[in-house]
Amino acid sequence: MGDEQPLSRMPQMRLDELLEELQARINAARGTRDRVHSLLEAVVSVGRELDLSQVLRRIVEAGAHLVDAQYGALGVIGPDGRTLSQFLTSGLTPEQREKIGPLPAGHGLLGELIRHPEPLRLSELGAHEASFGFPEHHPPMRTFLGVPIRVRDEVFGNLYLTDKRGGLDFDAEDESVITTLAVAAGVAIDNARLYEGSQRQHRWLRAGAEVTNQLLSGDARQDVLELIARRAGEITGARLAEVSAPVPGTGGLVVELSVGEGGAVGMRQGLVVPADGTLAGAASAAGTHVVSACLREDPRFPADPLLPADPGPAVAVPLGAAGSAVLLLAREPGEPVFTEAELEPLLAFAGQTALALELAVRRRDAEHVALLEDRDRIARDLHDLAIQRLFATGMTLQSAARLIEHTGAAERVGRAVDDLDETIKIIRSTIFGLRARDDGAGTSLRARASRAVGDAVTSLGFPPRLSMEGLLDTDVPPDVAEHVVAVLGELLSNAARHAHATRVEVSLKATADEVRLTVSDNGRGIPEQGRRSGLDNLAERALQVGGALELSTPDGGGSRLLWRAPLR
C-alpha cells in the first residue's frame, strides 16, 4: 500500500503542471493582447494629430509607454544628414534638462543610428564602441533600444528608448513593437508635413494677395515693405526680418526696414551696411537666394553677426533680379534650418512681390508723367493767359497814371503797377518750378531741393514734409543755391543717422532780403558733448556767404536748425 500512494499522486502532479503551463500561456496571450491593444491605441493617438510638433511628442511618449522605458527621445536628422536638428525627450524633468545643458547633436551612440539606420538593442549601452559616455548631471542609463523612423524613402529621425523598468533588458518583442510604431509614426509625420505644407502655402498665397492689393491701392512703399517683412517673418517663424536695398556707388546696402524681436531692431532702419561679407549682399549680387545654417557662425558672412539679434539659421531672398532689394529672415540659434519645402513658397512669394513692386513703380511713373503733362499745361496757361493779361493790365494802369492829376491817387496806381510786376515774377517762378524735371533739366533750386528731400526717404524710412515759398528760382544766386542744396543734404543725412526721428520737416523760403532753410525733427536732439564737426562745416558755409547757422529745440523736443544767407 505504501508504494501505491506515490503512484496515485503522479497524475495529480502532472495535471498541476499542465494547468500551470496553461495559465502561463493564457497570461502570455492576455499580455500579448494587451500589448497589441496598447500598440493600436498608440498608432491611433499618433495618427490623430496634424500638428508636427505634437505628433513628435506623442511618438516619444507612446514609445516609452509601450516598452515600459523610463526615458525616451526622438532625434530629427538635420539637412546635412549627419547631425540632429531637433531632440525631444520624455522622462526628464525641466530641471534635469537645464542641468544637462545643450541637447545632443547626434554624435556617439546616437550618431550610430544615423550612420546605420537599423534597429539597435543593447543590454549595456556604455559598452558599445560608439558610446562617449554621458555629460555631467545626466542620469545614468543602461539598457538601450533605438529604431529609425522613415518617411517614405527618407530617414526622418530616430526613436531612442533607455532603461526598461524592473532592471530588465529590451527583448525582441519590444523591438518588434517599437519598429511597428516607427512605421505608423512615419505615416503620421508625412501626413502632418503635408498638412503643414498646405497650410503654409495658403498663408503665403494670402500674404501675396495682401501685398499686391496694398501696392496697387497706392500705399506708401515703406508701408508695403513692412507688410512684406512682417508676413514673411510670421509664416517662417523668423525672429528678425529685414529689407535692404543697394545704395548706388557705395558698395553698401541701406536697411529700408527692420522688424522683429529686440529693442535694437528698429534702430537699424536707415543704416548703410556693407554688401561684402553679408548674407543680404551675397543674395543681391547673385540674384538668387542664399541660405546659412547658422549666420552667427558662418565664415562666409563675417559682417552679419553685427545684427541686433543673435542670428541662427537664415535666408536672404532677392525681390527681383541681381542688384535689387533683398529680404533677410533669421531664426533663433538652434532652430531648424530653412528647408527646400519652406523655400519653395517663399521664393514664389518673393517673385510675386517683386512683380507687384515693379508694377507699382510703373504705375507711379505713369502717374508722374501725367502729373508733369498737367503741370506743363498749367504753366502754358499761366504764361499765355494770366501773365499776358496782368502785363496788359499793368500797361493800362501805367498809361492811366499819367492822366491822373491827384498825387495820392497817382501814387496808389504806381504801387498797384509794382504789385502787378511782383505778381508776374512770382507766377514766372511758379512756372519754372512746374516745368522742373527730375532728370538733368531740373536744375532749379526748387527741383534740386525736392530731389534731395525725395532721396532722403530711403535713409530716413519715411518721407519728410517739404514746404517752399518765395522766388527761389529767380532771386537766389547760383552760388548761394549750391550752398543751400549742400546744407539741406547734410542736415537730412544727420537726421537719418543720429536723430532717430519719426518726423522731419523742411522749410525753404526766399524773402526780399534772405533765403532761409529750416530743418526740424522730433528726434533725440543734439547732445551737448556730441561731435559737432558737421555743424561747424555748415556754419562755415553760412559765414562764406554772410549768413549764419542757428540751433534751437522745439517745444515738443527734437532739434531745429536754421541756415540763412542774404540775397543782396
Side-chain angles (χ1 to χ4, degrees):
M1 295 293 293
D3 293 337
E4 294 178 1
Q5 190 173 7
L7 292 174
S8 64
R9 286 201 299 267
M10 290 182 65
Q12 182 65 35
M13 293 174 62
R14 180 61 177 165
L15 180 59
D16 290 343
E17 291 176 0
L18 291 174
L19 289 174
E20 289 177 1
E21 184 179 352
L22 178 60
Q23 185 64 43
R25 294 193 178 190
I26 291 174
N27 292 337
R30 185 180 291 114
T32 301
R33 183 201 62 187
D34 293 342
R35 171 164 278 196
V36 171
H37 183 69
S38 297
L39 178 60
L40 291 175
E41 284 186 345
V43 170
V44 172
S45 174
V46 167
R48 186 183 297 122
E49 292 290 343
L50 287 176
D51 181 76
L52 183 58
S53 61
Q54 291 297 323
V55 169
L56 299 180
R57 174 63 57 190
R58 285 187 179 272
I59 292 171
V60 178
E61 295 173 349
H65 173 72
L66 283 174
V67 296
D68 205 20
Q70 185 173 355
Y71 304 108
L74 192 153
V76 179
I77 300 176
D80 60 2
R82 299 187 303 273
T83 58
L84 300 177
S85 61
Q86 284 181 270
F87 196 79
L88 293 83
T89 62
S90 173
L92 293 175
T93 65
E95 293 76 14
Q96 286 177 310
R97 285 197 297 268
E98 184 176 356
K99 286 183 178 181
I100 292 172
L103 295 174
H107 305 297
L109 186 59
L110 301 184
E112 182 70 14
L113 271 174
I114 299 177
R115 294 185 294 271
H116 307 288
E118 297 293 337
L120 179 63
R121 183 159 41 96
L122 301 172
S123 298
E124 188 61 55
L125 62 85
H128 194 277
E129 59 182 8
S131 178
F132 288 169
F134 299 108
E136 190 178 1
H137 304 298
H138 195 287
M141 297 179 181
R142 189 179 66 84
T143 56
F144 176 86
L145 173 60
V147 296
I149 298 176
R150 286 182 169 84
V151 178
R152 301 187 184 183
D153 296 331
E154 166 199 0
V155 179
F156 175 82
N158 296 301
L159 180 59
Y160 311 103
L161 301 162
T162 61
D163 282 11
K164 187 176 179 71
R165 287 184 172 85
L168 302 176
D169 291 343
F170 294 108
D171 55 25
E173 187 176 344
D174 293 328
E175 181 180 321
S176 177
V177 168
I178 295 301
T179 301
T180 304
L181 176 65
V183 174
V187 175
I189 290 172
D190 192 29
N191 289 338
R193 290 166 74 178
L194 290 173
Y195 176 76
E196 188 178 75
S198 66
Q199 291 295 103
R200 186 167 55 242
Q201 184 72 26
H202 176 70
R203 294 180 67 189
W204 279 122
L205 291 174
R206 188 169 57 188
E210 191 176 359
V211 169
T212 302
N213 290 338
Q214 192 164 347
L215 273 170
L216 298 183
S217 297
D219 287 9
R221 173 183 170 86
Q222 197 69 14
D223 294 337
V224 177
L225 291 179
E226 182 175 358
L227 177 63
I228 293 170
R230 289 196 182 280
R231 292 294 180 267
E234 291 169 1
I235 296 173
T236 60
R239 70 176 296 189
L240 172 68
E242 285 191 352
V243 177
S244 304
V247 181
T250 66
L253 300 169
V254 60
V255 181
E256 292 193 78
L257 192 87
S258 181
V259 297
E261 300 177 10
V265 171
M267 296 177 64
R268 285 175 55 80
Q269 200 159 296
L271 293 180
V272 176
V273 298
D276 293 336
T278 61
L279 187 68
S284 178
T288 185
H289 69 282
V290 181
V291 181
S292 174
C294 183
L295 195 54
R296 177 185 56 184
E297 301 172 355
D298 199 324
R300 297 176 298 168
F301 312 113
D304 270 323
L306 300 177
L307 293 170
D310 190 13
V315 61
V317 181
L319 301 177
S324 61
V326 176
L327 172 64
L328 171 68
L329 302 170
R331 288 173 171 160
E332 294 268 8
E335 290 191 354
V337 179
F338 288 89
T339 63
E340 288 299 325
E342 291 180 294
L343 289 177
E344 185 177 350
L346 173 59
L347 296 177
F349 172 74
Q352 181 181 357
T353 299
L355 179 60
L357 287 170
E358 185 68 21
L359 288 175
V361 170
R362 294 291 178 264
R363 178 178 177 178
R364 282 194 293 269
D365 288 345
E367 291 174 350
H368 187 58
V369 169
L371 176 62
L372 293 178
E373 291 176 348
D374 200 35
R375 286 181 175 181
D376 284 341
R377 179 187 59 78
I378 295 172
R380 287 195 302 269
D381 290 346
L382 287 173
H383 183 272
D384 297 342
L385 301 176
I387 289 182
Q388 300 305 323
R389 292 177 68 87
L390 290 173
F391 186 76
T393 302
M395 294 289 292
T396 302
L397 289 175
Q398 280 183 324
S399 300
R402 292 194 295 267
L403 303 177
I404 299 175
E405 297 180 356
H406 191 278
T407 305
E411 290 177 353
R412 295 180 65 180
V413 170
R415 286 197 299 271
V417 171
D418 293 338
D419 290 342
L420 286 174
D421 288 339
E422 189 67 24
T423 302
I424 291 173
K425 289 181 180 179
I426 293 174
I427 293 176
R428 281 176 173 168
S429 177
T430 303
I431 292 173
F432 293 149
L434 287 172
R435 287 179 170 171
R437 297 292 190 268
D438 287 338
D439 52 21
T443 57
S444 68
L445 179 55
R446 283 179 178 270
R448 295 170 68 187
S450 298
R451 190 158 53 245
V453 171
D455 292 342
V457 173
T458 300
S459 57
L460 286 170
F462 56 87
R465 180 179 178 182
L466 172 64
S467 63
M468 292 184 284
E469 184 179 347
L471 304 178
L472 295 169
D473 298 329
T474 56
D475 285 5
V476 180
D479 59 332
V480 176
E482 289 294 333
H483 285 293
V484 169
V485 174
V487 170
L488 175 58
E490 178 66 19
L491 291 177
L492 290 173
S493 177
N494 288 343
R497 287 181 295 167
H498 307 302
H500 301 294
T502 58
R503 187 182 71 254
V504 174
E505 296 182 358
V506 177
S507 172
L508 182 58
K509 181 178 181 180
T511 66
D513 302 320
E514 64 179 5
V515 58
R516 301 166 62 91
L517 171 63
T518 306
V519 177
S520 57
D521 62 68
N522 64 343
R524 61 184 184 183
I526 302 174
E528 292 293 334
Q529 305 300 326
R531 294 179 58 188
R532 305 176 71 87
S533 56
L535 296 179
D536 292 341
N537 292 336
L538 300 183
E540 180 64 27
R541 280 183 177 273
L543 290 175
Q544 290 177 10
V545 292
L549 175 68
E550 300 175 6
L551 282 68
S552 60
T553 302
D555 294 338
S559 61
R560 180 186 293 117
L561 293 97
L562 169 62
W563 190 94
R564 53 192 179 86
L567 296 181
R568 292 183 176 82

